[in-house]
Structure formats: C-alpha cells, structure tokens
Amino acid sequence: MQRFPLLALLLLTLTSPALAQGWPDRPLRLLVPFAPGGVTDSIGRLSAEFLGARLGQSVVVENRTGAGGAIAVEAVARSRADGYTLLTASASQMVMLPALARVPYDAARDFAPISIIGANPQVLAVAARIGVNTLPEFIAYLRANPGRVNYSSGGNGSSNHLAMALLLHRAGVSAEHVPYRGGAPAMQALLAGDVAAYFGNPSDIIPHQGGAAIRVIAVAGGERMSALPGVPTVAEQGFPDFRAETWNGIAAPAGTPDAAITRMADILGTACADAAFRGALERMGTVPVCSTPAQFRAAMERDGPQWAELVRVAAVRLE
C-alpha cells in the first residue's frame, strides 16, 4: 500500500517534462504587447512580481509593441512551449484584433490560457478645452464640428478604438481616429490637447480625473465604478445596453506542460485574495477576477463572436 504515493509521484515526474527538469530553474519572460504605463503593462508587471515571488524565479517583463499588439502575441505563439515564455494577454489581441484583420496566430489554437487577472470597463474622457461635461454635450459638439474632432486610442483594433467606434456609430456622428502605441501615450495625447477625446482604460484616466486638462464624462460598464462614483454610464446617458469591457490575463504558448500551467494557475488564481494585489488592481480601476484556465478559455469563446459582431455593426476598418 505504501508504494502507490511513490508510484504516482514517479508517473507525474515522467509525464511532466517542465517539472522533471526542475522548472523553473531560470528566469521567465513575460511579453507585453503595449508600451509601458498602460493597464495591460501594469497588470503584467503586477502579475510578474506576484508570480515570480512564489515560483522562486524572477519574471522579466518585456514590452514589444507594434501591429496593434500582434507582434508580441505572434512572438509568444512561436516561442518554445517550455513554461519560460508568457504573454500578458489582452482581449484586444485575443478576440478583437482577429475580428478586424488577418493575424498571424489563432488565439484559441496557439495559446494555453492561465488566468484572467482583471476586467476593465472603458472610460470616456474629453479635453477640457472643448467645453463639454456630459456625453450628450459631447455628441452635440461632434455634430456641430463635423470632420474637425479627433480621438486617440491605444492602437488600431484596440478596445479603445472599438469602444469609440461603436459609440460614434450608435450616435450617428464621426471623428478622426489617431492610434498610438498603447494607452499611456494615447492618454498623454489627450492631456496635451493633441486630441479631443480618449475612450480608455480606467488606469489611464483615473489618476488625472479632477485635473484641469480633462473631463471624465462616461463609463462603459454595466454600472458606475466605485472609483468614479459621480460619473454616469453610457447607458444612463441615452445609449441603452451600451457596454465596452475588456480583460487582461496571463497565457502561455500551446503545448506548455500541464504541470507548469497548473502551478502558475494555482498561484495567480489566489492573487485576488491577496490584499495588496487586489488593492493594486482596484487602484487601477480594474475589477479583480483571477480566473481559472477553463474560465479564461470560456471568456475567449464567448467574447470572440461578440466583438466580431461589434466590428461588423460599427463598420470598423484598420487604417
């Protein structure tokens, strides 16, 4: 009877190459598809620190921008599936960008989901210089200034881009899209007055609320945010059922040993119960999730068709 635990351990060792080789015995690499400073980067760095401390190896964050995030995603998809290369997976690249254009990866086929860390309702902010304080006033401003209003986003096909495109479509107005390489530079463009609006991630916008440069006028979630209690939802301001929310998580190349995926998922699955980790997410304006791999895959299967329909309805095209 005493042999069964030993036999089980032996079988696990033989069938889990990553653990059999002492995984992890060197630092891991986590690619972020956007520039430093945005919500995807912030969640990636927070997760890397939490994961690394519990694996006993550092997780080195590498920002690799370009092609709306597809460059980083493809790089991870083509990486060796040994548990040492990870992706800060954003809904923008996993389910939105494939709805907009041909991409060199298949998110469902090429990745092993580990955990969705947090969800982000998009937040609409406008430059104070245009003199509007509510969503109806912003729509009226667009109607009064056809062809003369621009907005920033974190890249073509990003959640920022699609959220604004859908709003413009619903309102029957237009504005010029100015894409940047990530949420942080898109926000800086708004603060500098280079663009009139930015429908961005809460972490980009919340630190600047109440300042002289911008006005926060709407939240695209199902309810108001605790971090922005005085800001009404888009639905409250005349657009029923309007929602634009995304998620960010950690994924690995398909074929990464199950034992490595399970170990990382177990660690990240408990992260939201950690007060410091949860507090950091909430300060970003991110809703803590910390899902299982199965829940992550279910979200991809659910959201892919929804965003594809959004792209069709909003008639979005990559510039």
Side-chain angles (χ1 to χ4, degrees), residues 45-55 267-268 270-271 274 277:
R45 291 178 186 276
L46 181 66
S47 301
E49 182 178 358
F50 191 89
L51 187 61
R54 287 151 183 81
L55 287 176
I267 291 171
L268 293 173
T270 66
D274 180 86
F277 190 96

Side-chain angles (χ1 to χ4, degrees), residues 34-133:
F34 292 126
V39 66
T40 302
D41 176 70
S42 297
I43 288 177
R45 291 178 186 276
L46 181 66
S47 301
E49 182 178 358
F50 191 89
L51 187 61
R54 287 151 183 81
L55 287 176
Q57 291 287 346
S58 60
V59 180
V60 180
V61 176
E62 177 184 335
N63 296 86
R64 189 176 298 187
T65 64
I71 289 177
V73 179
E74 181 185 12
V76 175
R78 293 179 180 275
S79 296
R80 185 176 178 182
D82 57 5
Y84 288 96
T85 302
L86 305 172
L87 173 71
T88 305
S90 165
S92 295
Q93 285 73 50
M94 305 302 273
V95 296
M96 297 177 192
L97 191 58
L100 278 163
R102 188 185 298 270
V103 293
Y105 58 86
D106 182 316
R109 179 196 65 206
D110 296 337
F111 289 93
I114 298 174
S115 179
I116 291 178
I117 303 302
N120 304 281
Q122 300 293 286
V123 176
L124 177 58
V126 297
R129 63 176 172 79
I130 70 174
V132 305
N133 295 289

Side-chain angles (χ1 to χ4, degrees), residues 170-224:
R170 293 270 186 95
V173 293
S174 63
E176 181 181 354
H177 177 216
V178 183
Y180 289 81
R181 290 194 171 188
M187 185 66 206
Q188 287 302 315
L190 178 64
L191 292 169
D194 295 334
V195 296
Y198 172 47
F199 215 148
N201 294 303
S203 64
D204 300 330
I205 293 171
I206 287 174
H208 305 285
Q209 65 166 322
I214 67 169
R215 300 288 181 268
V216 183
I217 63 173
V219 173
E223 57 187 29
R224 296 192 185 197

